[in-house]
Amino acid sequence: MTHDLLIIGGGINGCAIAREAALLGLKVLLVERDDLASHTSSSSTKLIHGGLRYLEQYEFKLVAEALAERERLVAIAPHLIHPMAFVLPHEHQLRPWWMIRLGLVLYDRIGGKSTLAKSRGLRAADIAYRAPLKRPGKGFVYSDAWVDDSRLTLLNAMDAAACGATVQTRTALVSARREGELWRAELSDGHGVTARAIVNAAGPWVASTLARLGVNAAAGVRLVKGSHIVVPRLYDGDHAYILQQPDRRIVFAIPYLDRFTEIGTTDVPVDAPEDAVIDGDEIDYLCAAVNRYFTRQITPADVTSAWSGVRPLYDDGADAASEITRDYVLELDTSGPPLLSVFGGKITTARHLAEEAMGKLASTIGTTFRPVSRTRPLPGGDIGRFDTFLADVRRRFPFLGDPRSDRMARAYGAMLIEMLDGVDSEAAMGRDFGHGLTEVELHWMRAREWAHDAADALDRRSKLGLVMSADQRAAVEAWFSDASL
């Protein structure tokens, strides 16, 4: 069978394009050499946001597009994406009050109609917002949204597969060449495939993939590492902080998994995608960033975990890594069978990127483009209000308990009802591996979510790897390795 599209890369952009193409009725094959979202797409700050700081760089189009997408994503995945209040303490020596106020007014309006709360000043009555701060003076409060980045990537892949796409993980592109009107590709599983077009969505490996295809790109890529640390929870509440730094960068402090605070990010130029490892200087920088603001001080010894991702940013010639545009560029090569390469992008704008990608590709492969994903719920997202859905889950499955029902309702949304069909007790969920992870959930991950091992299940699909012991992790690994299952 000849595929309409062969997509290289199972990150957020590749999976979003696969979804868009499958919804258009195209024959799609997506290959990912590792796991879905195994690199940059699981290493973000985990925000669906317009990017307030990008206004300072005059990236008005990017911010407007991202804020419009934020509104769409909150609507189509209310289980996975939820609004969050952000507190911005004022530091006059870094940016004057009027500048930030004007920026926030623009941020409230530039993306069009929004269901999220408008920005406002920090009030004396905002006790929870002020309590952690050393200097609880002037400040601002505005809204953005939080997301489980790896599961957002996964949901795009699941919807693509539900619409007929084939998704193969642990499958790398070995080589590809143009033959007449088709691409002929060799895959690491030993199979050869043909496709009418290729999408290079390899993220940090976009340039090396082009070299493997024997194509020279006009666009360039800058690799910039962004690192985050996780520490025991620094404050009570479900709000986040955006903290201005002396170098004019900003650092976020965000509630994470109820018991932690996530702190990030950095901007460090690197030479290769494999350089996605946090270093001591980054840890020191992030600790100092929050210590400037919070009463509770931290040291590197408080760091319980960390992650780093390499962003494949479009090279716009900016000197500083923090000033490189976060907008994307889609480069279409039609010197033979079409090749579309993706440079840059944000997790927030992946759906829009996919729509634009298919708009560029459609005519080159003889199909007609139309918007298909703007209002379509992502898998599990057809639940109405999350609070109402969670109450229904707790009524129907009281044996889950409150913490586990909240975690699973957010992860699976309406799919949780299908997962627990016929399960009427905790015992019926099978073996408990710790922290509420049972066999029924592992079976689902393996059968429906392309999970192959403990890292897939614990680090990306559930994030329970942050709290599980080495023995518990080993038990999950043994479960996946058991050929009799």
Side-chain angles (χ1 to χ4, degrees), residues 90 92 95-105 138 140:
H90 178 54
H92 182 77
R95 293 171 181 87
W97 185 92
W98 66 264
M99 179 186 290
I100 297 178
R101 180 67 269 183
L102 183 62
L104 286 170
V105 168
K138 288 185 177 180
F140 307 88

Side-chain angles (χ1 to χ4, degrees), residues 303-319:
V303 176
T304 59
S305 63
W307 64 80
S308 298
V310 173
R311 312 179 194 103
L313 303 181
Y314 169 67
D315 189 355
D316 62 357
D319 292 329

Side-chain angles (χ1 to χ4, degrees), residues 84-163:
M84 181 175 281
F86 286 74
V87 180
L88 197 169
H90 178 54
E91 293 289 341
H92 182 77
Q93 68 273 24
L94 296 177
R95 293 171 181 87
W97 185 92
W98 66 264
M99 179 186 290
I100 297 178
R101 180 67 269 183
L102 183 62
L104 286 170
V105 168
L106 183 58
Y107 199 70
D108 285 339
R109 290 165 172 74
I110 195 173
K113 184 178 179 181
S114 174
T115 55
L116 274 63
K118 301 293 186 185
S119 63
R120 61 174 178 82
L122 187 62
R123 301 166 183 157
D126 292 324
I127 304 301
Y129 295 169
R130 292 174 170 275
L133 300 173
K134 286 181 178 179
R135 300 178 299 278
K138 288 185 177 180
F140 307 88
V141 181
Y142 71 97
S143 298
D144 264 323
W146 186 91
V147 66
D148 183 327
D149 49 6
S150 52
R151 289 203 67 83
L152 180 63
T153 303
L154 177 67
L155 292 188
N156 275 271
M158 292 178 73
D159 206 23
C163 294

Side-chain angles (χ1 to χ4, degrees), residues 108-347:
D108 285 339
R109 290 165 172 74
I110 195 173
K113 184 178 179 181
S114 174
T115 55
L116 274 63
K118 301 293 186 185
S119 63
R120 61 174 178 82
L122 187 62
R123 301 166 183 157
D126 292 324
I127 304 301
Y129 295 169
R130 292 174 170 275
L133 300 173
K134 286 181 178 179
R135 300 178 299 278
K138 288 185 177 180
F140 307 88
V141 181
Y142 71 97
S143 298
D144 264 323
W146 186 91
V147 66
D148 183 327
D149 49 6
S150 52
R151 289 203 67 83
L152 180 63
T153 303
L154 177 67
L155 292 188
N156 275 271
M158 292 178 73
D159 206 23
C163 294
T166 300
V167 176
Q168 291 182 207
T169 61
R170 271 71 177 186
T171 306
L173 173 73
V174 175
S175 64
R177 64 186 183 275
R178 284 169 162 139
E179 289 187 357
E181 297 183 351
L182 298 175
W183 282 96
R184 184 171 297 278
E186 299 298 326
L187 305 179
S188 61
D189 63 1
H191 290 93
V193 298
T194 56
R196 298 166 69 191
I198 285 182
V199 173
N200 176 9
W205 290 272
V206 61
S208 60
T209 299
L210 282 169
R212 189 173 294 116
L213 297 172
V215 175
N216 294 317
V221 65
R222 297 267 293 275
L223 300 181
V224 177
K225 178 177 59 167
S227 295
H228 301 75
I229 59 174
V230 176
V231 299
R233 191 160 190 162
L234 293 176
Y235 58 89
D236 294 327
D238 295 328
H239 57 284
Y241 290 86
I242 175 172
L243 308 172
Q244 302 178 78
Q245 300 303 312
D247 59 5
R248 297 187 64 81
R249 294 187 68 259
I250 56 96
V251 168
F252 291 102
I254 303 171
Y256 194 52
L257 303 183
D258 295 327
R259 66 186 75 184
F260 301 108
T261 298
E262 165 203 343
I263 301 166
T265 183
T266 58
D267 284 300
V268 180
V270 294
D271 297 322
E274 293 74 21
D275 293 333
V277 180
I278 194 168
D279 61 38
D281 289 343
E282 290 177 286
I283 294 174
D284 290 341
Y285 176 89
L286 293 173
C287 288
V290 295
N291 286 342
R292 289 188 181 95
Y293 286 88
F294 290 159
T295 301
R296 180 178 172 185
Q297 301 287 282
I298 62 171
T299 70
D302 294 307
V303 176
T304 59
S305 63
W307 64 80
S308 298
V310 173
R311 312 179 194 103
L313 303 181
Y314 169 67
D315 189 355
D316 62 357
D319 292 329
S322 61
E323 295 175 357
I324 302 171
T325 182
R326 266 49 176 180
D327 209 347
Y328 57 82
V329 169
L330 303 176
E331 185 175 287
L332 181 61
D333 177 353
T334 55
S335 59
L339 168 65
L340 182 78
S341 295
V342 180
F343 296 84
K346 290 160 46 72
I347 197 163

Side-chain angles (χ1 to χ4, degrees), residues 4-5 20-21 23-27 196 358-370:
D4 293 311
L5 286 188
E20 197 79 20
L23 284 168
L24 287 168
L26 300 180
K27 298 181 182 68
R196 298 166 69 191
M358 292 313 303
K360 283 180 172 286
L361 275 172
S363 63
T364 71
I365 56 176
T367 191
T368 302
F369 170 75
R370 67 186 188 283

